[in-house]
Amino acid sequence: RPTIDRELLESLPNLKVIGNSGVGVDHLDLKMISNFGVKVTNTPHAVADPTADIAMALMLASARRLVEGCQIAVSPDTKCFAVDWLGVEVTRATLGIIGMGSIGYKVAQRARAFNMKILYHNRNQRRKEEEEAVGAHYCEKMEDLLQQSDFVMLVVNLTPETHKLIGKKELGLMKPTATLINISRGAVIDQDALVEALQKKTIRAAALDVTYPEPLPRDHPLLKLNNIIITPHVGTATVQAIRMMAEEAIANILAVLNGQPIPSEV
């Protein structure tokens, strides 16, 4: 993608709008862009369902050790299947969602079908009827959520406040049987602390759709662990979502150019 820097903005005097595909705008300097009188839009509606789907996929795959199991099933060295090769259950487990925006809420809707106990931590508490619709309980302190959850799901925007939100201290508060799932941005986790926590079995496992950087260097210690699943930032990588994102981005751009109300302005 093009780098939106001062030089580029100065070279485009007629620029009115930057239509970002996807919801995250941590790669854009919003203050600098707005100083040029340029509007920024994103596509939150297109991304919510597929990203919530990948969250569930990562949770289930990690809990039931699907990637490892697939390797065993197809390996030429496999003579028999071990009877003591066990995963953990998602049904009736406690899910802690950090960031209860539209994606976090859609994760909660899906988790409810698994009879999960749902906790969430957010800047603002959701309305009572929204909480009741998915059976979610608000944790004012993130520490309370970390201590109680079997699965901790990160669904926050990357901002200066959320940079390395999960570090050594936070990982230490989690249950040794807990799994950390990240579908937001890689830099929300202190990756060095995560490597240590997974090596020392401070937590059971991690499942990440995002890392920092992407892709990780091929000699990165996270790639050598067997209690982690990493996917290549595919939260919105579906045929339908890519098309919807393009349509949503175009609708935003046309609205700005035509002086109409903007569906999704950042």
Side-chain angles (χ1 to χ4, degrees):
R1 62 172 73 93
T3 304
I4 313 289
D5 54 15
R6 184 168 290 282
E7 192 185 359
L8 181 72
L9 291 165
E10 282 171 350
S11 73
L12 299 169
N14 298 322
L15 187 66
K16 303 277 189 297
V17 56
I18 294 167
N20 186 67
S21 274
V23 75
V25 289
D26 47 278
H27 57 292
L28 298 173
D29 183 337
L30 298 175
K31 203 168 183 180
M32 179 189 72
I33 293 166
S34 84
N35 286 340
F36 278 86
V38 175
K39 294 196 180 295
V40 175
T41 66
N42 65 351
T43 61
H45 304 106
V47 307
D49 278 317
T51 309
D53 287 351
I54 203 86
M56 300 307 288
L58 285 169
M59 179 163 60
L60 289 161
S62 181
R64 301 306 298 270
R65 299 167 69 184
L66 285 193
V67 175
E68 218 183 321
C70 179
Q71 288 163 349
I72 291 167
V74 303
S75 166
D77 303 326
T78 299
K79 301 284 188 290
C80 62
F81 294 156
V83 290
D84 58 350
W85 189 87
L86 305 172
V88 295
E89 293 214 4
V90 167
T91 301
R92 286 181 291 278
T94 299
L95 170 63
I97 301 171
I98 299 175
M100 191 62 123
S102 58
I103 297 170
Y105 195 76
K106 282 180 180 284
V107 170
Q109 288 174 328
R110 287 155 173 72
R112 193 172 192 205
F114 285 86
N115 290 324
M116 298 189 87
K117 183 183 176 188
I118 299 163
L119 308 175
Y120 78 98
H121 172 72
N122 203 38
R123 278 174 304 188
N124 308 306
Q125 186 169 356
R126 284 272 193 163
R127 295 202 316 272
K128 264 280 166 277
E129 54 268 34
E130 290 174 330
E131 289 181 339
E132 285 167 6
V134 293
H137 304 274
Y138 181 60
C139 293
E140 198 172 340
K141 293 197 178 95
M142 189 171 75
E143 290 78 7
D144 295 340
L145 178 148
L146 293 171
Q147 287 170 329
Q148 295 176 63
S149 299
D150 299 306
F151 298 91
V152 173
M153 183 90 67
L154 297 170
V155 206
V156 294
N157 288 322
L158 178 59
T159 64
E161 293 76 45
T162 62
H163 185 259
K164 293 192 177 175
L165 181 69
I166 302 296
K168 186 175 178 135
K169 173 174 162 267
E170 290 74 22
L171 290 160
L173 289 170
M174 289 171 65
K175 296 180 184 181
T177 52
T179 301
L180 180 65
I181 302 152
N182 189 9
I183 56 165
S184 56
R185 287 290 185 268
V188 170
I189 298 175
D190 177 342
Q191 282 182 168
D192 294 338
L194 180 61
V195 168
E196 192 185 338
L198 290 169
Q199 284 172 339
K200 293 182 173 173
K201 305 284 177 14
T202 307
I203 63 171
R204 175 187 168 271
L208 316 174
D209 186 40
V210 287
T211 57
Y212 186 80
E214 290 174 352
L216 288 171
R218 297 295 88 186
D219 60 351
H220 196 281
L222 273 182
L223 303 180
K224 296 174 175 60
L225 298 165
N226 63 359
N227 53 343
I228 191 167
I229 292 174
I230 304 175
T231 50
H233 202 147
V234 291
T236 58
T238 66
V239 174
Q240 295 90 336
I242 294 296
R243 185 182 178 91
M244 264 183 77
M245 279 197 285
E247 287 175 356
E248 205 175 333
I250 291 163
N252 281 319
I253 290 166
L254 290 176
V256 175
L257 297 180
N258 296 327
Q260 291 164 341
I262 306 160
S264 302
E265 185 176 6
V266 176

